[in-house]
Amino acid sequence: MRVFSYLLGAFALLVTATGVGAQFPGELRGDVIDVLSGRPVPSADVRLEGSPSLTTTDAAGAFRLRGIEPGSYTLSVRAPGYAAVTRTVVIENGAVTSVRVELLLEAVEVEGVVARVDATPEGARSLRAADLDALAGGSVGDLVDGLPGVRVESRGRGGAEVPSIRGSGGDAVLVLVDGVPINDPITGEADLSTVPSGSVSAIHVLPGGRSARYGARAEGGVVLVETGGREEGERSAGVTVGSLGERSFDATYEQGVPLGDIRVAAGARRLDGRFDFDVPEEAGGGEATRENAHADGEHARVEWVGEREDTRFRLGVAGERLARGLPGRSFAPSRTGGQELRRMRAFGSLDVEASGRRALSTNGYFVTQRMEHRDSAPPFGDPFDDRTTLRSAGGEIEGSWRPGSVGRVAVGLSLTHLRVESTQLAEGRGTVRRTDAGAWLSGSRTMPLGATLSATARLDRSGLPSRWYVSHDVGLAWSGGSFGARLGHRSSFSPPTLGDQFFREGVGVEPNPDLEAERVPSEWVAGASYEHELSGTMAMLELEAYQGDIEGMIIWLPDYRFVWSPRNRDVRRRGAEVSARLRRPSAGLDLRGHVSWNRTTYDRPGLDDTQVVYRPEWGGGTVATWSSDRWRAAITTDYVGARYPVPNRVNRLPAFWTTDLALARSWATPLGDLEVGVELDRVFDHEDSLIFAFPDPGRTARLTVRLGR
């Protein structure tokens, strides 16, 4: 492969290049841990006195400060509930200095203590800045696909990336980007490929029913995407070239202003997408060329963030444009299909704390979006040229207080309104308006022996059809030393989409505006965890099992034209996930692995042992990362279990493995860190795909050069 050889040659040339003798900035990396338990301390403040360098530790207790002039500094580390630690560190010329900071719990009796809660939602599987920097992946879909219980449905490189959690449909996973939902109003699905991965600072995945907190469409789970700088004062620019004609550019800039910082990010990406592939024997065999698979787009974001005393705020505006071809199936290609998305979103949030006992949190958004689908000569069906325009606005407000030293109570309200004009809907339904509202009450209390009891109850009104839904989430968690356990019971719902209700007449069906929502009336979740530190190596093991049947499941088959399954099916769902992690910070090693079992079967005579279409029963993967002073490497494997392309036990698609590799080297320069990296997707050239007849090109490569961070 010419591109592959060229990229490796270019990278090898850069690796062997010699630096210029000069005073280059250095870097400080470290880990902050609890000296008694050995556990990482997240959200600790890390500062170099006498310099502008400051940051906070991530969920793994790790931090990194870059662009530090050589010299001796005083390192200061502070975290709520711990005694502050200071020590002297020496930053060498153009080198990386590593430290390990141990904090000791400190009992302080004061009145009106301001307690800050870690931004990571309870029960989330999170990827923070350090994880995102280490992992290979050209998209947000690539990043979340390796998390336990998550499967991203894709129809080829450059195509849509729709998350499924624990066997749910894509329309039952709520995706929020900076608090703004990006789920399509027609299909209910969220396309992660429309979110630029370079602008992402953190990803949190909350599996299972979360309607009690997040409302409609959180039946299968929630994906929270945070954008912004991955480091304080980030200023960087990067260029990527790769296989399939990939070319991209992105840049970020952060500048201090009164009351906070201004962050600016922008980028563009182009992908030709053309490649040769083998047609499956089931589809006739032979060779063919994947055409009309191009994708190109641009994105930009500007935001103002700040914090003053007990008040934090964020205001921003972002826009994305994406245009791509719709190549169709391998045995029914389309050379004329296309899709274009234009989206603009404005968002803001305000958080206020008072006396450590009361807090008020608000956020709001406005979105305008235009989507076009067209094909003048589709391989089957009639030509179409559809346009959908969306305008939506929403927000929520939550107030919380601590009536005592061992509890917390919160109450919240949310309101969402959308207006959709679309030619994709049935005649007479070209314009649809919908208003949804929700209210919730939650509380938590610390119990004896290290236990915590929490409960949330929520009432939602779905505007179309006009119905009321009640959701709840009750949990009991216990932590004692290295061990932890939890038990929870939930309910959730996902309302029908506009496509479900107002699909075009045909194929023996007609519009059904009164279609009932998907519901999980009873979901049990039980889990256990173990953490231990021995001789500088941290080991973590986690197990979670769940059971929650889905009533009224609505299934869309994988096609670019909307195909509604005319039967509103009930589904039985149960499963388990096992995750393990080993970290040795002194050696820069981090090993993670997980296995997922998800049994999602039709509850109908003769089909009660048949897995729902394209919901693999088994999944898993591993991630191994290593970093040194100037090197980073990652090897990621992913296992996709056997699955069925039709709702019966025939044409079973075999399971397959894929392996990705990433390698990067950085140098200190007067302009900042220069980093060169190579990423290889599907190193062993596997061409299997999750969805039948949507081929994958196999091995591809990317070369990225980045300056500044």
Side-chain angles (χ1 to χ4, degrees), residues 144-476:
V144 304
D145 205 21
L147 293 174
V150 181
R151 179 58 58 199
V152 174
E153 298 182 2
S154 175
R155 291 155 176 79
R157 307 286 178 90
E161 299 174 341
V162 178
S164 170
I165 300 179
R166 292 180 173 175
S168 70
D171 59 349
V173 176
L174 179 65
V175 178
L176 302 175
V177 178
D178 298 321
V180 181
I182 65 168
N183 294 70
D184 187 273
I186 304 296
T187 66
E189 298 177 341
D191 182 2
L192 296 179
S193 72
T194 65
V195 183
S197 60
S199 67
V200 174
S201 58
I203 301 174
H204 309 289
V205 175
L206 292 93
R210 302 286 176 166
S211 293
R213 174 58 186 89
Y214 295 94
R217 215 157 297 290
E219 170 204 332
V222 180
V223 178
L224 306 176
V225 180
E226 300 174 8
T227 64
R230 295 183 184 176
E231 296 181 7
E232 293 287 340
E234 179 180 356
R235 300 178 183 182
S236 67
V239 177
T240 298
V241 296
S243 306
L244 306 180
E246 181 177 3
R247 305 178 304 280
S248 67
F249 168 79
D250 67 88
T252 60
Y253 180 84
E254 185 172 327
Q255 177 65 51
V257 297
L259 300 180
D261 299 295
I262 292 292
R263 298 171 179 169
V264 181
R269 180 174 182 254
R270 301 289 184 271
L271 182 74
D272 176 78
R274 179 187 175 98
F275 63 90
D276 297 330
F277 66 94
D278 295 325
V279 179
E281 294 298 331
E282 299 87 343
E287 296 182 352
T289 299
R290 186 75 162 169
E291 298 179 301
N292 191 34
H294 63 276
D296 63 83
E298 302 83 32
H299 70 272
R301 187 187 77 255
V302 180
E303 60 181 356
W304 179 27
V305 297
E307 180 174 352
R308 187 171 185 178
E309 296 180 349
D310 297 332
T311 302
R312 298 184 297 277
F313 69 89
R314 184 179 191 182
L315 293 172
V317 60
E320 297 96 20
R321 186 196 73 88
L322 174 65
R324 59 186 168 210
L326 301 180
R329 300 169 179 256
S330 61
F331 58 83
S334 171
R335 294 178 174 82
T336 54
Q339 176 188 27
E340 185 168 359
L341 166 72
R342 296 178 184 271
R343 180 169 61 208
M344 183 71 68
R345 49 193 172 94
F347 53 91
S349 64
L350 177 67
D351 300 302
V352 181
E353 296 180 3
S355 303
R357 291 190 177 276
R358 296 182 299 276
L360 181 68
S361 176
T362 65
N363 68 73
Y365 66 88
F366 173 77
V367 176
T368 177
Q369 174 179 301
R370 182 178 176 85
M371 177 78 81
E372 298 182 10
H373 291 82
R374 58 187 176 275
D375 196 337
S376 59
F380 52 86
D382 298 327
F384 58 92
D385 187 358
D386 292 320
R387 293 172 174 81
T388 299
T389 300
L390 163 71
R391 293 181 180 87
S392 68
E396 68 176 39
I397 181 170
E398 182 182 74
S400 64
W401 65 95
R402 299 180 182 275
S405 60
V406 294
R408 178 180 181 271
V409 178
V411 60
L413 299 170
S414 67
L415 184 68
T416 302
H417 176 77
L418 62 84
R419 182 178 186 272
V420 179
E421 300 177 9
S422 179
T423 60
Q424 293 177 310
L425 305 179
E427 289 188 25
R429 293 288 184 175
T431 301
V432 178
R433 293 176 176 84
R434 174 174 178 165
T435 300
D436 298 338
W440 65 93
L441 175 67
S442 65
S444 63
R445 181 176 179 82
T446 302
M447 310 291 286
L449 304 177
T452 301
L453 177 66
S454 61
T456 302
R458 179 176 179 128
L459 178 65
D460 279 281
R461 180 186 180 275
S462 179
L464 190 66
S466 181
R467 289 180 181 162
W468 295 87
Y469 297 94
V470 177
S471 306
H472 74 273
D473 189 341
V474 180
L476 178 64

Side-chain angles (χ1 to χ4, degrees), residues 492-571:
S492 57
F493 76 103
S494 182
T497 69
L498 297 181
D500 295 328
Q501 296 170 302
F502 305 116
F503 50 84
R504 287 190 176 125
E505 298 185 47
V507 202
V509 297
E510 61 183 15
N512 184 3
D514 296 323
L515 186 66
E516 182 59 271
E518 289 186 8
R519 302 166 306 285
V520 178
S522 175
E523 179 182 59
W524 285 98
V525 181
S529 61
Y530 173 77
E531 299 180 9
H532 184 67
E533 191 270 336
L534 179 64
S535 302
T537 299
M538 300 181 62
M540 288 169 274
L541 180 65
E542 185 175 9
L543 167 66
E544 186 163 284
Y546 56 90
Q547 189 278 327
D549 296 346
I550 304 173
E551 295 183 359
M553 189 173 192
I554 305 167
I555 300 174
W556 290 67
L557 298 181
D559 200 306
Y560 292 112
R561 299 299 301 276
F562 301 122
V563 179
W564 184 77
S565 180
R567 297 197 60 172
N568 205 212
R569 299 184 173 98
D570 291 338
V571 166

Side-chain angles (χ1 to χ4, degrees), residues 29-163:
R29 297 181 184 177
D31 293 274
V32 180
I33 67 168
D34 184 310
V35 67
L36 297 178
S37 68
R39 296 179 179 177
V41 178
S43 301
D45 293 324
V46 181
R47 178 187 295 272
L48 282 184
E49 304 294 345
S51 85
S53 299
L54 72 158
T55 187
T56 57
T57 56
D58 61 20
F63 69 88
R64 178 166 58 181
L65 296 170
R66 287 177 164 175
I68 309 171
E69 293 299 322
S72 178
Y73 295 87
T74 297
L75 174 67
S76 172
V77 181
R78 291 178 172 83
Y82 291 89
V85 170
T86 59
R87 65 167 60 178
T88 300
V89 295
V90 177
I91 305 301
E92 303 289 347
N93 181 34
V96 175
T97 301
S98 298
V99 297
R100 181 183 178 91
V101 181
E102 297 177 336
L103 299 184
L104 181 65
L105 285 169
E106 180 182 47
V108 181
E109 186 175 347
V110 295
E111 191 150 343
V113 175
V114 177
R116 302 241 174 184
V117 180
D118 184 14
T120 303
E122 182 70 26
R125 282 82 184 268
S126 299
L127 295 173
R128 293 192 174 273
D131 304 304
L132 298 173
D133 286 338
L135 292 175
S139 68
V140 175
D142 291 336
L143 297 172
V144 304
D145 205 21
L147 293 174
V150 181
R151 179 58 58 199
V152 174
E153 298 182 2
S154 175
R155 291 155 176 79
R157 307 286 178 90
E161 299 174 341
V162 178

